[in-house]
Amino acid sequence: QVRLVESGGGSVQAGESLRLSCAASGYTTGDYYMAWFRQAPGKEREGVAALSTKMGTRVYANSMKDRLTIAHDNAKRILYLQINSLTPEDTAMFYCAGTASRQPGLGLLDARTYDVWGQGTQVTVAS
C-alpha cells in the first residue's frame, strides 16, 4: 500500500521561502509520477508542479513556475518542492500526489492522474 506524508509547511512572512517534503513508501519500482497541488480556501485544487521519477520530466504551472523547483531523491523516495518569494496569495494547503500508472490523455498537473494523496501541509504567508 502506497503512503505519502508531507511536511515542511508553516507560517512565514512575504518574501521568504519554504521547502516542502513528501515521503513516499510502498512503491515497488522507481518508475512513478509525483506532483504537488495546492488548495486555497474557497478555491479548487490546483496542480503546481510534477515530475516523472524515471524520465526526469518536470512540469510547472505557469502561475508559479518562476518561483518553484520540484525535485525527487530516488534513494530516499522523498519529493521536494522549493517555493521562493512567497506571497499571501500562496496561502494554501499543499498536497503531494502520486501514481505508478499514468492514464493516457491526462496531464501531469491534472488531479485525475493521481490515485494516492497525502494529508497535506499548510502554508500560511503573512504580509
Side-chain angles (χ1 to χ4, degrees):
Q1 182 178 357
V2 176
R3 185 168 179 241
L4 303 177
V5 179
E6 302 98 331
S7 61
S11 297
V12 298
Q13 297 294 315
E16 294 183 345
S17 300
L18 277 176
R19 189 176 77 159
L20 308 182
S21 299
C22 172
S25 60
Y27 283 117
T28 58
T29 73
D31 183 10
Y32 46 96
Y33 300 87
M34 296 192 76
W36 287 98
F37 288 76
R38 68 175 179 176
Q39 188 165 21
K43 295 188 177 181
E44 293 187 356
R45 192 169 296 191
E46 172 192 21
V48 297
L51 59 69
S52 162
T53 61
K54 180 177 181 180
M55 301 300 293
T57 305
R58 288 169 172 77
V59 295
Y60 296 97
N62 288 333
S63 60
M64 295 184 72
K65 64 180 180 180
D66 294 336
R67 300 187 292 118
L68 298 180
T69 302
I70 188 171
H72 184 257
D73 185 321
N74 291 340
K76 296 181 180 179
R77 301 207 170 183
I78 298 177
L79 181 73
Y80 299 100
L81 184 69
Q82 176 75 30
I83 316 173
N84 298 324
S85 303
L86 283 155
T87 73
E89 290 69 35
D90 293 320
T91 294
M93 186 73 81
F94 281 74
Y95 297 92
C96 172
T99 187
S101 179
R102 184 182 176 189
Q103 299 299 314
L106 295 179
L108 288 178
L109 296 181
D110 189 326
R112 297 171 296 174
T113 294
Y114 301 95
D115 50 22
V116 182
W117 293 81
Q119 292 300 306
T121 185
Q122 177 68 38
V123 172
T124 302
V125 186
S127 59

